[in-house]
Amino acid sequence: MIAKIIKSILIFVCSYIALKTIHYLLKKLFKITTFDERYENTLCSVLSSITYYIIFVLSLVLVLREFEIIDATKFGTLVTGASIVGLIAGVAAQSILKDIFNGFFILFEKQLQVGDFVVINEKFRGTVEEIGLRSLGLRDWDLRRITVSNGSITSIRNYSKNKMRVVVHVRVSYEEDPMKVMDSLEEVCDIMNEKFKDYTISPSSGDKKKSFKVYGVTDIEDNPVGAKYTITGVVQSYKYFSAMRETKLQILLVFKKNDVHIAYPTHINILHHEKNIEEL
């Protein structure tokens, strides 16, 4: 019995060493390939996941064989052992298969890759760190690790697909001169086109140098605060968030310089002294 336990421990140790060796070789292999870096990381993550499950199953079979639960040389014993394993696995088979199939669709359709910034199910937000057969690993803004099963993924918003449109809205008081506001926003667009000239992408029509443009007044109805103006611009996806932040900053700076006031809720209270009311 002690000998079987020792052999089982050795099997797991050897399996662990084999797993680490394969992962190391995979990383070395993908370093000499000519694939895109994110695609390399994605393939490496998936192959590592597949390797883990294969080695785990083989190690489990070898350990069960040591304890004579499964004997691969005898068909009857193998069928009995397989039936027991199948009975246990059958309970979770449906969800496992759903995770695996969904994982393959995500991989081969290139819905996301390692390194992409995504929003999953309109709930989980972060950078993809790992894509496995059964689950997806994200790292959020607080550096917390989020694991989402592939089968539960119903929607993916990917912020890392070549290009994205920056859309910034700002509300300005109705008392402001609309043409003055438009001129100020045009100045913001000129600043953004100059600062991000190496990262802007030409829209379907128009000049790349004028990627950032004033879209115009987009709302004046049913809003007592002020009119809404909109700026748009197309940039490379990895510059989306920095362009969004910079646009908002430039709006504040230019408006302050040009004495344009951003709208905000206000309340006017009119108070009358009783004596004044009687006189009136």
Side-chain angles (χ1 to χ4, degrees):
M1 185 65 180
I2 296 177
K4 292 179 180 180
I5 294 175
I6 293 175
K7 287 183 179 179
S8 299
I9 293 173
L10 289 174
I11 289 172
F12 283 119
V13 171
C14 292
S15 299
Y16 177 79
I17 294 173
L19 184 65
K20 290 297 182 182
T21 303
I22 293 173
H23 288 179
Y24 174 78
L25 293 176
L26 284 173
K27 290 180 180 179
K28 288 293 183 182
L29 174 64
F30 281 111
K31 282 184 178 180
I32 61 175
T33 58
T34 56
F35 295 129
D36 177 77
E37 182 179 356
R38 288 189 302 165
Y39 190 61
E40 289 178 358
N41 293 333
T42 302
L43 287 178
C44 186
S45 176
V46 173
L47 290 175
S48 297
S49 179
I50 293 173
T51 303
Y52 170 80
Y53 285 109
I54 291 175
I55 290 180
F56 174 77
V57 171
L58 289 177
S59 301
L60 184 61
V61 170
L62 290 174
V63 170
L64 292 176
R65 183 182 177 186
E66 283 295 325
F67 288 93
E68 299 178 354
I69 298 175
I70 291 180
D71 187 354
T73 62
K74 296 180 180 180
F75 179 76
T77 308
L78 182 61
V79 170
T80 303
S83 299
I84 296 172
V85 174
L87 182 63
I88 298 173
V91 179
Q94 185 175 357
S95 60
I96 292 174
L97 289 175
K98 184 179 180 182
D99 291 341
I100 293 174
F101 279 119
N102 207 27
F104 275 116
F105 285 130
I106 290 172
L107 174 65
F108 290 114
E109 292 177 1
K110 295 184 179 180
Q111 297 178 25
L112 50 80
Q113 296 179 344
V114 173
D116 288 355
F117 185 86
V118 298
V119 177
I120 303 295
N121 297 344
E122 302 299 328
K123 181 179 180 181
F124 305 106
R125 178 189 299 263
T127 303
V128 179
E129 279 197 340
E130 182 182 357
I131 300 176
L133 279 180
R134 294 198 58 243
S135 63
L136 182 73
L138 304 177
R139 185 74 64 178
D140 69 4
W141 178 257
D142 298 324
L143 298 182
R144 293 174 298 185
R145 171 81 172 192
I146 302 173
T147 301
V148 183
S149 63
N150 293 333
S152 66
I153 297 175
T154 57
S155 67
I156 299 174
R157 271 200 290 153
N158 196 329
Y159 288 82
S160 304
K161 286 293 184 182
N162 300 326
K163 62 182 180 180
M164 290 195 65
R165 187 183 300 278
V166 176
V167 181
V168 179
H169 307 288
V170 59
R171 284 199 177 272
V172 181
S173 173
Y174 289 116
E175 283 72 24
E176 295 288 347
D177 180 3
M179 298 312 300
K180 181 180 179 182
V181 177
M182 294 289 286
D183 290 341
S184 297
L185 292 176
E186 288 287 356
E187 185 178 345
V188 172
C189 290
D190 291 339
I191 294 172
M192 291 302 300
N193 284 323
E194 178 61 28
K195 281 198 169 190
F196 284 80
K197 61 183 178 181
D198 295 329
Y199 310 108
T200 55
I201 296 176
S202 177
S204 56
S205 62
D207 187 4
K208 177 179 177 180
K209 295 180 181 179
K210 295 294 183 180
S211 178
F212 281 87
K213 296 180 179 180
V214 179
Y215 188 75
V217 180
T218 52
D219 182 31
I220 58 173
E221 298 177 356
D222 301 325
N223 194 297
V225 175
K228 183 167 75 172
Y229 298 78
T230 302
I231 286 178
T232 65
V234 181
V235 297
Q236 296 177 12
S237 58
Y238 67 95
K239 282 293 181 179
Y240 171 76
F241 291 103
S242 58
M244 179 73 77
R245 291 192 301 269
E246 186 64 27
T247 303
K248 293 177 180 179
L249 173 62
Q250 292 302 325
I251 288 175
L252 291 176
L253 294 175
V254 172
F255 276 18
K256 184 176 181 62
K257 183 187 73 172
N258 295 342
D259 196 29
V260 176
H261 300 93
I262 293 178
Y264 57 88
T266 58
H267 297 279
I268 300 176
N269 297 322
I270 301 177
L271 302 177
H272 294 283
H273 193 275
E274 292 183 0
K275 183 178 180 180
N276 293 336
I277 294 176
E278 291 175 357
E279 290 177 354
L280 290 173

